[in-house]
Amino acid sequence: MNSSPTRPSPPSAIHMVVFLAGCTFLIYEVSWNRMLAIALGATVTAATVVLSTFMAGFGVGAVIWGRLADRGGSVGRLLGALLAGVGVTGALASWLFVHVVPGLYSSVPAPLVFTLTVATLFVPTFLMGGTFPLASKIAAAQSGPLAASLGRLYAAETLGCTLGGLAAGFVLLGALGQVMTIQLTVGANLMLGVWLFAARRFDIRNVAADHADEPIVEKNAPVLRRAALIGAFACGFAALGLQVLWIRVFRIYLTNTSYTFALVASVSILALFAGSKTFEHRSAKIRNHGRSLRTALLAMAAATAIGLVVLVRLPQLLMFPFQAAFSEPLARILLLPLVASLLVVFPPAFFSGYAFPLACRMAAAGRGRLGFDVGLVMTVNTVGSVLGPVTAAFLLLPRFGVVLSILLVAVIPLGAALVIAHGTPRRSEVGLAVLYALIAIVATTVGFRPEIRILPPSFIRFDRDVLFYRETVEGTLSVGRDRGTRTESKYTFVDNSAVIGSSYDAVKVVKMVGHFPFLLGLEARDVLVIGFGIGVTTSAIASHPEVASIECVELVDGLKDAARFYRDMNHDVVNDPRLRIIAGDGRHHLQATTKTYDLISCDPTHPILGSGGLYTADYFRLCREHLNPGGMVSQYLPLHKLRTEEVLGIIRTFQSVFPDATVWLGHYHAVLLGGTDPIRVDFADWESRTAALSEDPHFYIDPRHLAATLFLDGDAIEELGARTPINTDNRSYTEFFTPHCLAPGNLPANVRFLQMNRVPLDRVFTGIEDDALLGRFVRGNVLLTESLISSLGGDGRRGLELLQEACRENPEDGEFPFLIRLNY
């Protein structure tokens, strides 16, 4: 049998293989992060553990598969087998994450579910980890300097990763859906693997036989090897730790969408590509590799410090001066985070990209054992990549805050440069002194613990008083108040998402979410509230004496402490003995519990700003499964930052699970109500239950006024949304939305749509005795809605005239004169 190798592929072929592999790996990562946010909870804790597991699989795979490659055999066929294995195990893992893991909670303890999920994720990433060491082995068999070859190969992989992340976040998941995206990626892995295995294009059996070992770049091989591993660890720790912290700050400054953070992550990987390409072109000119690595580490730390200054002042330096340039929706979603990432994220990541192939070359004893050497560097780098985000998220950030945490992470490459310098035979004492001085400056700064707050841009622009500020693992919580205004309104933000406004319409709708199920006749003892906010919805529910227990799941636990600033609205509900606040993700809580409820109330953040998973048919079915007979679901429905197509889509999605759903309008916001039974109520009962409510300055209590807020019922929704696609976890148009959702004209258009399709009240209410009186309330509400539409369109004068007309048409409704006094 002839064992001679087949004709080798051209040098560019292995780079194309690595490019395509990197592309598929990032598509998997983006898709799995999304799947596991549902299966394990959309928390920073879960996301950090998933990221660390992903990187750990890479690291272990790199050293094991790299060692196997050095033992001989067909490296190309082994690489093909790995890529095909990634396809098979990736398909299986994806299926388990969606169809098996969420159902395990009913029979398996939650920690064990988490462990099994992490173990499942480890398998395909373990196979992925072998790609770069094996490809390095193949590239080493080709002509050209080894250092340049490694730089070129890493550049190809990182470029593929960049395009894969962008393709998944911006195109594939939105256009094809989660299932088809995974199928496409699995198919690409299988085809690439089968081609490599069958064609034997890279059947390199003995590299050393074809190429003499390239000598070590310098004489002190052990010193260089140790320096390479120290530098690789520092780069991995800092790069991934900083990414966690940068995104935390960007969540406060930027529009929190899936697009924003896909772009930030892609810019970081693109910087790795640029750094590795720079190393490729400079590699032949490097005479002192240890010094070059120290310089890269110093530059990484310096770039982090400079970026931190930019980051703290980002609103004043970028957002406010160039507000006009970022006013368009597409610019807010793409251009602003792109520019911010290029200023803050790109420079440190660039030097990390330069340092990694340099470390690989420094550690390499020659081409013969290149697989193991590169695999070892990758493993040490990924150990840092695992520890970096865990340390940043769980140890540094809660104790020091995000700004000082970034400084502390920057010390890691500084410290690595110092250790490397001490191990250098001909070290510079001046250089050591500079390193010690820089570390001392950072330590002194952290020791004084200056309070540097990262506040939402609106706080800075309007110079609001900060009443409460806390940085937690899950988000940064800010409570502010206007200065010197007539109302001195208060605002509460988690990151850059408003928890609640103190305007009349904002408070009214969340009280509707809490009260309306009871007004419709629900007798609820056990209640689940998803999203405590500052407690207004919860307090409305707690005001009904038949309620025996309220479980409230809140992602940001510190909100219960901020609720004290809204006692006039929430009636100090945090001290209600019936209330139990549970920290975590609400949807995950439903997956993990077997308990059922009489009412599930949900007042999440906007669906395009991170809570899209609470507006899908999958979530609504999960709610229905946890309802007792006769139970109900009440949910806030925003009308802003969504086109009419998306608003109708969410309504139709809700109605597909609750066929007799209803939609109620609270000025600029809507409420979805549905349950296991048809919603029909005798008007006399509605009146008596409304009369039992306590007087509330933030909620106008009149049975006819509240009844007139009905706009749609199940039959109307069925007719209007007959051709509207259902919003699902697989294809979510609230998460992967069109930039036109941010157009300012959407809110009046959506209110107009509901106005045009308003249904008669007798579709829900029976036993109406005074039709004439109730008719006046309906006509008054029609005029109120027209007034809102005019005001939103910029015609405040016409809005006032319509409100005055509403007063004449319906003098019994006391809200109209109140609104005139409030707004005009």
Side-chain angles (χ1 to χ4, degrees), residues 28 79-91 123-124 127-128 189-190 193:
Y28 280 126
L79 179 59
L82 286 185
L83 289 174
V86 169
V88 173
T89 58
V123 175
L127 300 178
M128 293 176 186
N189 284 144
L190 292 176

Side-chain angles (χ1 to χ4, degrees), residues 148-161:
S149 178
L150 291 171
R152 190 180 308 117
L153 196 68
Y154 189 58
E157 183 184 51
T158 51
L159 181 60
C161 290

Side-chain angles (χ1 to χ4, degrees), residues 530 587 590 602 613-623 635:
I530 295 177
R587 177 167 175 169
L590 278 174
C602 187
L614 299 179
Y615 287 88
T616 65
D618 308 79
Y619 166 71
F620 293 139
R621 282 193 291 268
L622 189 61
C623 288
Q635 176 138 347

